[in-house]
Amino acid sequence: HQTPTGCPVSQRAADFDPFEDGYQQDPPEYLRWAREQEPIFWSPKLGYWVVTRYEDIKAIFRDNITFSPSIALEKITPTGEEANAVLASYGFALNRTLVNEDEPAHMPRRRLLMEPFTPEALRHHEPLVRKLAREYVDRFIDDGHADLVDQMLWEVPLTVALHFLGVPEEDMDTLRKYSIAHTVNAWGRPKPEEQVAVAHAVGNFWQFAGQVLDKMRQDPSGPGWMRYGIRKQVEHPEVVTDSYLHSMMMAGIVAAHETTANATANAMKLLLQHPDTWREICEDPGLISNAVEECLRHNGSVAAWRRLVTKEVEVGGALLPAGSKLLIVTSSANHDSQQFADADLFDIRRDNASDHLTFGYGSHQCMGKNLARMEIQIFLEEFTRRLPHMRLAEQRFSYVPNTSFRGPEHLWVEWDPAQNPERRHP
Ligand code: HEM
């Protein structure tokens, strides 16, 4: 194998396959060799340059003109004719939202739509998150065991996401199916025989988003970020376009819920794998907020993101021509020992934990980061207070194979209900 610039490709670079279990189980460990020896490499299986070090990735995020985000939601695996025809039959036209919008269009739109993300605005959502977290724990607290993903962590962030967007609570299972299909479509490698089913789900998701939007347009005075956008469109139709609204209606549901569900599942897995740390946060909830950051650093829910090179540029010693596609593995950057002392150590008192790149960095940095942080914090507060004696059950963790959205599909935990604090000290 050769790089597009004619250099030989090392064996490990040739073998790199982010759809394999090795990457899924532990992306930073899978890429340790690259961080240490070949910080940027060409992946012939992917057709992307893979970037693994903190400094390089931060510099890429910092310059969104040389490194365009336009490919962020593009299909990483081109699909066959049949699947493409299915998508077309639904009128599928997912295009620019915010995350994949170039300047000069991006910044005015981001500024115009920012207000619902301010700390003041987010405070209104806190009681709902708390209430839902309590209700869902009530449902299984006497059982002695639960799959936290299926029984809580999927549905609560989805409900919060819909509430934030102002979307009526529709059939949750269908939305979960749609979201996974979108993940596989954008970041996965579906086999030819799976591609058609994925295309149907994504097409239906697109049409569902359009219908919700049409209904909102009939009365845009109500709550939620999407109606806020519809109202802004009246004053600034060139900034908030119809295509933006339809694309965001679909992508926003995924951005707001899947990331947060996965982040909490990853955090709970990591904490329960470190029982001493778990005990510490149960005894001192004041430790939770920095623990949230350390969990996002050590085991975040977005493992990698993408950029497109718009002019010839050097990255990590490699000269990349315009048109090069980059997979920037933020989860690897988060384990870079040049940035984080003893980077693999899980340390909830780490003072620079929040320097992680799980929310991206710079002008596109995640707008929902503080909503996500609030949700994870509240889930951890409720779990540590009500189920401090829970432990991980014996299990093998599985992941939806894809480069970017990462969290265990199930998380089985168990405890002795007779020891529940609420029974012992009612
Ligand atoms: C952008 C991750 C939760 C809305 C992003 C980006 C990442 C990310 C990696 C791209 C950043 C960049 O290019 O620099 C995450 C993670 C989350 C999370 C890990 C949970 C733990 C949320 C939530 C919402 C949200 C809850 C909405 C309520 C957005 C939006 C953007 C974005 C609107 C686009 C910002 C822009 O391009 O200007 N997120 N996200 N995210 N996220 Fe999140």
Side-chain angles (χ1 to χ4, degrees), residues 61 98-100 106 110 117 164 225 248 255-257 259-260 263 296 301-302 305 307 357-369 371-372 375-376:
F61 275 129
L98 281 160
V99 83
N100 59 351
H106 164 258
R110 180 173 164 115
F117 291 97
F164 177 81
W225 190 47
M248 190 48 122
H257 99 276
T259 52
T260 311
L296 286 166
S301 54
V302 172
W305 210 241
R307 288 292 189 260
L357 298 177
T358 303
F359 290 125
Y361 180 78
S363 55
H364 284 271
Q365 197 188 37
C366 180
M367 285 166 81
K369 64 184 180 180
L371 178 58
E375 289 189 60
I376 303 167

Side-chain angles (χ1 to χ4, degrees), residues 73-113:
L73 303 180
E74 173 178 292
K75 279 183 203 163
I76 204 162
T77 303
T79 42
E81 260 169 54
E82 199 188 343
N84 294 346
V86 167
L87 269 180
S89 74
Y90 290 93
F92 180 75
L94 182 79
N95 202 331
R96 306 289 183 119
T97 55
L98 281 160
V99 83
N100 59 351
E101 181 63 280
D102 281 308
E103 303 307 340
H106 164 258
M107 248 331 177
R109 189 179 296 155
R110 180 173 164 115
R111 285 206 192 94
L112 200 62
L113 300 175

